Amino acid sequence: MDFFGIPPQALFGQLLLGLINGAFYAMLSLGLAVIFGMLNIINFTHGAQYMMGAFAAYFLLQYGGLGYWWSLLLAPVIVGATGVVIERLMLRHLYKLDHLYGLLLTFGLALIIQGLFQNEFGSSGLPYRIPQELTGGQNLGFMFLPNYRAWVVVVSLAVCLATWFLIERTKLGSYLRAATENPALVQAFGINVPRMITLTYGFGVGLAAFAGVLAAPIYQVSPLMGSNLIIIVFAVVVIGGMGSIMGAIVTGFGLGIIEGLTKVFYPEASSTVIFVIMAIVLLIKPAGLFGRVQ
Amino acid sequence: MPETMLKVAGLHAFYGESHILHGVDLEVRAGEVVTLIGRNGAGKTTTLKSVVGMIADRRGSVAYGGEELIRLPSHRIARLGLAFCPEERGIFASLDVEENLMLPPALADGGMGLDDIFRLFPNLKERLRSQGTKLSGGEQQMLAIARILRTGARFLLLDEPTEGLAPVIIEQIGACIGELKAKGFTILLVEQNFRFAAEVADRFYVMEHGRIVDEIAIADLDQRRTDIEAYLGV
């Protein structure tokens, strides 16, 4: 059975790849959206922090003997803590200035972090093994589904939805949403908004690091893994619109799938399709598909 | 005479380069309703915002229950039991009515329960699931007052609660303030609607150009009416 002359193996294989990529787009653009909402800063360091997550997993294994599952827990905390330091020492001085300053600072930080890792580890990747429990795969008849890839899709979807729930449906989330709109008033109600901003940045960075750990066994652990990805993620954010949590999740997964399908039907366009969509969205709806006009 | 709750002395406030308050002095005693009146731009809102710490650049002295607030960040000031209701009401669009109502954390024991709040503002109960900013202006004002009553704050700073509202709603807000006063709340009010203020206030401070220029007790209101009209330019 073929679909438009495409064998199902190829179609579903690319769909799965698209879903995997989409999972990373979604987790990273979600973090960017959360950070932008609270800090008003476009966090260009996000790709480097994703890379640091993967390296944290690598180090924890090499020097701590701690495997994948520990890394999934610890790497976001460790990298998130470096985010907290960056926010306290640097970012908080920029909130009253134009977006451009935050963008420049975080972009510079990304270059520094990436340069340091490249200096130390070169540009070729370091291998990181799939955890024992998730090796192998399932033969679904129409395709072979590697267990680890299925895990990545499921867990990233779960993390995205949990983040959405936290922000849209809990008391803490109502503080976050309110402080995104009017931080001065929320603080005047007795809520420690500066601390909330710091923790929000730490959380967004931790989310990037979590994605990095998930990515380590699929892609290699490499200093450039974040910079390759982050450009696409920014296009995803532009398409989805800044500041919408569900928008970031839907756009991330959706564009991953579109990219995968393009690889099947018109491979020449697969690396540009997202940017073509971005250009069209910018022309028709500059605030993004889910964005609110400010 | 009841004890002084709030004592503001020599308060200066700045927005960037502009010097808004030029040494404000005022006092509010426990259980009083005190109203700041004056023309637009006299510094009334800035005075309230400086007391609750929303103006970063402020100097002089603001003492509440003997504690100096001038260097405290606004969230620490709030926790002493002061609650602010802003002129633009500050209802959050991304929160529904219930979330808006429940947003301010409890600052002290003895906050008003939801039953009492819905008795005071029955409209809110019907609209709990609506988006906050979908409420009418009057309902938004009720929500803005209701949410600070929940917190247990005993000192309320209300910035133009009647602005832009229909007379029937203004009456309801007036009744609410009367009830709060009867319950022993202390209120510092900014109001352009002098007729409204005259019904609820114990004393008036008149502001001009960032200073307090006069103080009028409610008992002297009638004989000072021409002065007041001159101050307000009516």
Short mmCIF file of all heavy atoms in Angstrom, two decimals, chain A residues 59-83:
data_model
loop_
_atom_site.label_atom_id
_atom_site.label_comp_id
_atom_site.label_asym_id
_atom_site.label_seq_id
_atom_site.Cartn_x
_atom_site.Cartn_y
_atom_site.Cartn_z
N PHE A 59 28.65 14.62 31.57
CA PHE A 59 29.55 14.75 32.73
C PHE A 59 29.08 13.89 33.90
O PHE A 59 29.90 13.26 34.58
CB PHE A 59 29.64 16.21 33.20
CG PHE A 59 30.34 17.11 32.24
CD1 PHE A 59 29.88 18.40 32.02
CD2 PHE A 59 31.46 16.68 31.55
CE1 PHE A 59 30.52 19.24 31.13
CE2 PHE A 59 32.11 17.52 30.64
CZ PHE A 59 31.63 18.80 30.44
N LEU A 60 27.77 13.93 34.15
CA LEU A 60 27.25 13.16 35.28
C LEU A 60 27.59 11.68 35.10
O LEU A 60 27.89 10.98 36.07
CB LEU A 60 25.73 13.35 35.40
CG LEU A 60 25.29 14.69 35.99
CD1 LEU A 60 23.79 14.88 35.84
CD2 LEU A 60 25.69 14.78 37.47
N LEU A 61 27.56 11.22 33.86
CA LEU A 61 27.89 9.82 33.59
C LEU A 61 29.39 9.58 33.71
O LEU A 61 29.84 8.65 34.38
CB LEU A 61 27.40 9.44 32.19
CG LEU A 61 27.56 7.97 31.84
CD1 LEU A 61 26.72 7.10 32.76
CD2 LEU A 61 27.17 7.72 30.39
N GLN A 62 30.18 10.46 33.07
CA GLN A 62 31.63 10.27 33.03
C GLN A 62 32.26 10.39 34.41
O GLN A 62 33.10 9.58 34.80
CB GLN A 62 32.28 11.33 32.12
CG GLN A 62 32.03 11.11 30.65
CD GLN A 62 32.66 9.81 30.15
OE1 GLN A 62 33.82 9.53 30.41
NE2 GLN A 62 31.87 9.01 29.46
N TYR A 63 31.87 11.44 35.14
CA TYR A 63 32.58 11.74 36.38
C TYR A 63 31.77 11.39 37.62
O TYR A 63 32.32 11.26 38.70
CB TYR A 63 32.97 13.23 36.41
CG TYR A 63 33.79 13.60 35.21
CD1 TYR A 63 33.26 14.39 34.19
CD2 TYR A 63 35.10 13.13 35.06
CE1 TYR A 63 34.01 14.71 33.07
CE2 TYR A 63 35.85 13.44 33.94
CZ TYR A 63 35.30 14.23 32.94
OH TYR A 63 36.04 14.52 31.83
N GLY A 64 30.47 11.27 37.47
CA GLY A 64 29.65 10.96 38.65
C GLY A 64 29.11 9.54 38.62
O GLY A 64 28.53 9.07 39.60
N GLY A 65 29.25 8.90 37.47
CA GLY A 65 28.69 7.57 37.35
C GLY A 65 27.17 7.55 37.40
O GLY A 65 26.56 6.51 37.64
N LEU A 66 26.56 8.72 37.18
CA LEU A 66 25.10 8.78 37.24
C LEU A 66 24.53 8.65 35.84
O LEU A 66 24.93 9.37 34.92
CB LEU A 66 24.65 10.11 37.87
CG LEU A 66 25.05 10.28 39.33
CD1 LEU A 66 24.77 11.71 39.80
CD2 LEU A 66 24.32 9.28 40.20
N GLY A 67 23.62 7.75 35.68
CA GLY A 67 23.08 7.43 34.36
C GLY A 67 22.00 8.38 33.90
O GLY A 67 21.72 9.41 34.51
N TYR A 68 21.36 7.96 32.81
CA TYR A 68 20.36 8.77 32.12
C TYR A 68 19.25 9.26 33.03
O TYR A 68 18.91 10.44 33.03
CB TYR A 68 19.78 7.91 30.99
CG TYR A 68 18.67 8.57 30.21
CD1 TYR A 68 18.96 9.45 29.18
CD2 TYR A 68 17.34 8.29 30.49
CE1 TYR A 68 17.95 10.03 28.44
CE2 TYR A 68 16.32 8.87 29.76
CZ TYR A 68 16.62 9.74 28.75
OH TYR A 68 15.61 10.32 28.03
N TRP A 69 18.70 8.38 33.84
CA TRP A 69 17.53 8.77 34.63
C TRP A 69 17.88 9.82 35.66
O TRP A 69 17.11 10.77 35.88
CB TRP A 69 16.90 7.54 35.29
CG TRP A 69 16.52 6.53 34.26
CD1 TRP A 69 17.18 5.36 33.98
CD2 TRP A 69 15.44 6.62 33.33
NE1 TRP A 69 16.56 4.72 32.93
CE2 TRP A 69 15.49 5.45 32.51
CE3 TRP A 69 14.43 7.56 33.11
CZ2 TRP A 69 14.57 5.22 31.50
CZ3 TRP A 69 13.52 7.32 32.10
CH2 TRP A 69 13.59 6.15 31.30
N TRP A 70 19.04 9.67 36.29
CA TRP A 70 19.50 10.71 37.22
C TRP A 70 19.72 12.02 36.48
O TRP A 70 19.38 13.10 36.98
CB TRP A 70 20.80 10.28 37.92
CG TRP A 70 20.55 9.41 39.09
CD1 TRP A 70 20.84 8.08 39.21
CD2 TRP A 70 19.96 9.79 40.34
NE1 TRP A 70 20.46 7.61 40.42
CE2 TRP A 70 19.92 8.63 41.16
CE3 TRP A 70 19.46 11.00 40.85
CZ2 TRP A 70 19.40 8.65 42.45
CZ3 TRP A 70 18.94 11.02 42.15
CH2 TRP A 70 18.91 9.85 42.92
N SER A 71 20.28 11.92 35.27
CA SER A 71 20.55 13.14 34.51
C SER A 71 19.27 13.87 34.15
O SER A 71 19.21 15.10 34.19
CB SER A 71 21.30 12.81 33.22
OG SER A 71 22.58 12.37 33.52
N LEU A 72 18.27 13.10 33.82
CA LEU A 72 16.99 13.71 33.45
C LEU A 72 16.46 14.57 34.61
O LEU A 72 15.80 15.59 34.42
CB LEU A 72 15.98 12.59 33.13
CG LEU A 72 14.99 12.83 32.00
CD1 LEU A 72 15.61 13.44 30.77
CD2 LEU A 72 14.29 11.53 31.65
N LEU A 73 16.80 14.14 35.82
CA LEU A 73 16.37 14.87 37.02
C LEU A 73 17.35 15.99 37.38
O LEU A 73 16.96 17.12 37.67
CB LEU A 73 16.28 13.86 38.17
CG LEU A 73 15.57 14.33 39.43
CD1 LEU A 73 14.08 14.48 39.16
CD2 LEU A 73 15.81 13.33 40.56
N LEU A 74 18.65 15.64 37.35
CA LEU A 74 19.66 16.58 37.88
C LEU A 74 20.09 17.64 36.88
O LEU A 74 20.33 18.79 37.26
CB LEU A 74 20.90 15.80 38.36
CG LEU A 74 20.67 14.91 39.57
CD1 LEU A 74 21.94 14.15 39.93
CD2 LEU A 74 20.22 15.75 40.76
N ALA A 75 20.23 17.27 35.60
CA ALA A 75 20.75 18.24 34.63
C ALA A 75 19.89 19.51 34.57
O ALA A 75 20.43 20.62 34.58
CB ALA A 75 20.88 17.59 33.25
N PRO A 76 18.55 19.38 34.53
CA PRO A 76 17.75 20.61 34.52
C PRO A 76 17.97 21.46 35.76
O PRO A 76 17.97 22.70 35.68
CB PRO A 76 16.30 20.09 34.46
CG PRO A 76 16.40 18.75 33.86
CD PRO A 76 17.70 18.18 34.35
N VAL A 77 18.17 20.81 36.91
CA VAL A 77 18.38 21.56 38.15
C VAL A 77 19.73 22.30 38.10
O VAL A 77 19.81 23.49 38.42
CB VAL A 77 18.33 20.61 39.37
CG1 VAL A 77 18.68 21.37 40.64
CG2 VAL A 77 16.96 19.97 39.48
N ILE A 78 20.76 21.58 37.64
CA ILE A 78 22.10 22.19 37.59
C ILE A 78 22.14 23.34 36.59
O ILE A 78 22.56 24.45 36.91
CB ILE A 78 23.15 21.12 37.21
CG1 ILE A 78 23.23 20.03 38.29
CG2 ILE A 78 24.52 21.76 36.98
CD1 ILE A 78 23.96 18.79 37.85
N VAL A 79 21.66 23.07 35.38
CA VAL A 79 21.70 24.12 34.35
C VAL A 79 20.74 25.25 34.71
O VAL A 79 21.04 26.43 34.51
CB VAL A 79 21.40 23.52 32.96
CG1 VAL A 79 21.48 24.60 31.89
CG2 VAL A 79 22.37 22.41 32.64
N GLY A 80 19.58 24.88 35.28
CA GLY A 80 18.64 25.90 35.74
C GLY A 80 19.30 26.81 36.78
O GLY A 80 19.07 28.02 36.78
N ALA A 81 20.13 26.23 37.64
CA ALA A 81 20.82 27.04 38.66
C ALA A 81 21.78 28.03 38.00
O ALA A 81 21.90 29.17 38.45
CB ALA A 81 21.56 26.13 39.64
N THR A 82 22.46 27.61 36.91
CA THR A 82 23.32 28.58 36.22
C THR A 82 22.46 29.69 35.63
O THR A 82 22.89 30.85 35.59
CB THR A 82 24.14 27.92 35.09
OG1 THR A 82 23.24 27.50 34.04
CG2 THR A 82 24.95 26.74 35.57
N GLY A 83 21.24 29.34 35.21
CA GLY A 83 20.32 30.36 34.71
C GLY A 83 19.97 31.36 35.79
O GLY A 83 19.93 32.57 35.55
#
